[in-house]
């Protein structure tokens, strides 16, 4: 029957699933790999699908639960961000691929219970970023960062989590919006997948995303303007004037949900800014579960991420909840922002 061999490549038009894409690219990039990272990501996507299902029901929280309030039986009902946190931990801890985890929702690291095998990777995540927007039906997201284990004891340690962003082997996010989209990179291109709810699979919808070199959007919470330092104020003034790389005013777009603001700017081009301010002198956003993974995505899509004075991926984390100012997006716009902090343009 040799003459009847089927060319499976002709099936590509039906859509490349995330499962196929990640397995194929891992095999191509590291033929000796045993599929650990692939398996880890597939478990993470399983958790994402469950979180997507629950966020879609968020308008029904008072009826179905996940409110953070007390139900009629007098029991405290879990909040959606705690629920997402639990789902990720429970779907990942038994896989044998992780040595330790860290979540924005936990003060300390999350160890792997003794009954499960210890693996070669460490996972840091923000289970549901922007969750204060849930009640208004605004897009929210899960952010993740994976690093290779560096400790050598019987179990993972804080050291495995406290690594510079440039050591990440994989990072990305899932955005729960008008559709559920996941974007990831292993350092070889940035790819986006949209969840097809009819089959429960993420299908490749945004192959090899490149952020425009220069954008036309700036995203910042301008309500904090009078609390910012001089470079941040002058920078935002510049984006509103013609004294910027574009030569005309940028549009202002701010959702207040980091993943949604970042994702829009990744596709359309632009810059997201969360500067240090008088209330949060180190910045509001967290280096490990927020800035690092998005910086890894931005860099691999041709963009940049900085605090203004230091590239995000070079920062040595001092603690699990280390906070940083974050300026991230199109390369020329971020370089322009850096010039304000380096004593150049108007600093
Ligand atoms: P969270 O991790 O508690 O959800 O806070 C992070 C969120 C980001 O999604 C968003 O970029 C930022 O906080 C918005 O902050 P602000 O309301 O100060 O503009
Ligand atoms: Mg967050």
């Amino acid at each position: 029957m040799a003459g009847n061999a089927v060319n499976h490549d002709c099936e590509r038009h039906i859509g490349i699933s995330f499962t196929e894409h990640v397995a194929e690219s891992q095999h191509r990039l590291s033929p000796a790999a045993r599929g650990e990272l692939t398996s880890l990501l597939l478990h993470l996507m399983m958790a994402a699908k469950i979180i997507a299902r629950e966020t879609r029901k968020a308008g029904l929280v008072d009826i179905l639960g996940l409110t953070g309030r007390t139900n009629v039986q007098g029991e405290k009902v879990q909040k959606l961000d705690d629920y997402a946190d639990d789902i990720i931990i429970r779907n990942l801890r038994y896989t044998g691929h992780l040595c330790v985890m860290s979540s924005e929702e936990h003060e300390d690291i999350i160890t792997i219970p003794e009954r499960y095998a210890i693996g070669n990777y460490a996972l840091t995540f923000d289970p549901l970023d922007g969750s204060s927007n849930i009640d208004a039906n605004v897009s929210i997201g899960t952010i993740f960062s994976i690093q290779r284990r560096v400790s050598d004891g019987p179990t993972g340690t804080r050291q495995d989590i406290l690594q510079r962003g440039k050591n990440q082997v994989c990072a990305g996010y899932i955005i729960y919006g008008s559709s559920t989209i996941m974007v990831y990179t292993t350092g070889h291109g940035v790819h986006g997948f949209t969840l097809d709810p009819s089959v429960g699979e993420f299908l490749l919808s945004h192959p090899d995303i490149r952020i425009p070199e220069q954008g036309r959007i700036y995203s910042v919470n301008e309500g904090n303007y009078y609390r910012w330092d001089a470079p941040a104020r002058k920078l935002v003034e510049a984006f509103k004037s013609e004294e910027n790389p574009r030569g005309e005013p940028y549009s202002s777009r701010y959702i207040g949900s980091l993943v949604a603001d970042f994702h829009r700017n990744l596709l359309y081009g632009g810059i997201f800014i969360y500067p240090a301010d008088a209330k949060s002198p180190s910045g509001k956003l967290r280096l490990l579960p927020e800035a690092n993974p998005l910086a890894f995505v931005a860099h691999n899509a041709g963009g940049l991420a900085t605090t203004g004075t230091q590239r995000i991926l070079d920062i040595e984390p001092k603690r699990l909840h280390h906070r940083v100012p974050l300026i991230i997006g199109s390369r020329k716009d971020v370089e322009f922002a850096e010039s304000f902090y380096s004593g150049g343009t108007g600093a």
Side-chain angles (χ1 to χ4, degrees), residues 134-247:
I134 290 173
D135 288 347
N137 217 1
V138 167
S139 299
I140 47 181
T142 296
I143 314 176
F144 63 91
S145 158
I146 300 171
Q147 310 217 347
R148 223 177 285 286
R149 182 179 187 187
V150 289
S151 68
D152 53 10
T155 158
T157 67
R158 205 164 294 161
Q159 200 195 343
D160 298 306
I161 301 288
L162 293 176
Q163 298 190 54
R164 286 188 169 89
K166 62 184 174 195
N167 291 357
Q168 290 171 105
V169 293
C170 179
Y173 56 85
I174 300 103
I175 175 166
Y176 310 103
S178 45
S179 55
T180 302
I181 292 185
M182 80 85 62
V183 171
Y184 91 113
T185 180
T186 55
H188 303 274
V190 174
H191 309 287
F193 299 78
T194 302
L195 181 63
D196 178 343
S198 66
V199 290
E201 252 291 16
F202 283 96
L203 302 179
L204 184 61
S205 51
H206 299 72
D208 205 11
I209 300 171
R210 303 295 297 169
I211 185 167
E213 235 192 358
Q214 186 216 299
R216 52 191 170 76
I217 292 172
Y218 77 96
S219 316
V220 68
N221 183 347
E222 230 167 320
N224 295 327
Y225 182 91
Y226 290 106
R227 290 178 167 168
W228 296 337
D229 54 20
R233 287 191 206 180
K234 287 181 180 166
L235 173 63
V236 169
E237 291 302 331
F239 281 127
K240 291 156 72 154
S241 73
E242 290 173 358
E243 307 297 314
N244 57 48
R246 188 167 174 240

Side-chain angles (χ1 to χ4, degrees), residues 26-228:
Q26 283 310 290
H27 181 68
R28 186 164 29 86
L29 297 167
S30 345
R34 288 168 300 151
E36 262 198 84
L37 185 61
T38 303
S39 172
L40 172 53
L41 287 169
L42 294 180
H43 281 92
L44 190 57
M45 286 317 108
M46 185 62 210
K49 288 178 207 172
I50 299 171
I51 298 168
R53 186 192 66 196
E54 294 305 319
T55 53
R56 267 199 305 275
K57 293 191 292 195
L60 300 168
V61 287
D62 284 333
I63 304 162
L64 301 178
L66 301 174
T67 63
R69 294 186 278 273
T70 303
N71 69 12
V72 284
Q73 282 85 30
E75 298 157 338
K76 182 108 174 125
V77 182
Q78 205 178 20
K79 276 168 53 193
L80 198 52
D81 40 9
D82 293 338
Y83 177 84
D85 186 64
D86 267 11
I87 289 293
I88 294 175
I89 295 170
R90 281 204 265 131
N91 272 273
L92 274 297
R93 66 183 174 185
Y94 70 87
T95 60
H97 304 315
L98 292 177
C99 63
V100 68
M101 289 184 249
S102 172
S103 161
E104 197 198 271
E105 298 289 323
H106 295 245
E107 268 311 302
D108 208 346
I109 54 171
I110 304 157
T111 52
I112 305 298
E114 266 176 35
R115 60 186 184 280
Y116 302 126
I118 297 293
N120 293 318
Y121 294 99
L123 172 71
T124 301
F125 60 95
D126 182 349
L128 215 49
D129 184 75
S131 54
S132 62
N133 292 299
I134 290 173
D135 288 347
N137 217 1
V138 167
S139 299
I140 47 181
T142 296
I143 314 176
F144 63 91
S145 158
I146 300 171
Q147 310 217 347
R148 223 177 285 286
R149 182 179 187 187
V150 289
S151 68
D152 53 10
T155 158
T157 67
R158 205 164 294 161
Q159 200 195 343
D160 298 306
I161 301 288
L162 293 176
Q163 298 190 54
R164 286 188 169 89
K166 62 184 174 195
N167 291 357
Q168 290 171 105
V169 293
C170 179
Y173 56 85
I174 300 103
I175 175 166
Y176 310 103
S178 45
S179 55
T180 302
I181 292 185
M182 80 85 62
V183 171
Y184 91 113
T185 180
T186 55
H188 303 274
V190 174
H191 309 287
F193 299 78
T194 302
L195 181 63
D196 178 343
S198 66
V199 290
E201 252 291 16
F202 283 96
L203 302 179
L204 184 61
S205 51
H206 299 72
D208 205 11
I209 300 171
R210 303 295 297 169
I211 185 167
E213 235 192 358
Q214 186 216 299
R216 52 191 170 76
I217 292 172
Y218 77 96
S219 316
V220 68
N221 183 347
E222 230 167 320
N224 295 327
Y225 182 91
Y226 290 106
R227 290 178 167 168
W228 296 337

Side-chain angles (χ1 to χ4, degrees), residues 327-339:
I327 302 176
I328 187 167
S330 293
R331 185 179 61 78
K332 285 190 177 165
D333 296 330
V334 175
E335 283 171 349
F336 179 64
E338 284 175 324
S339 71

Side-chain angles (χ1 to χ4, degrees), residues 104 126 128-132 221 224 254 256-259 261 272 274 284-286 290:
E104 197 198 271
D126 182 349
L128 215 49
D129 184 75
S131 54
S132 62
N221 183 347
N224 295 327
Y254 189 70
S257 179
L258 177 60
V259 177
D261 277 310
F272 173 93
Y274 206 109
K284 173 183 180 183
L285 299 172
R286 291 162 175 90
E290 296 175 325

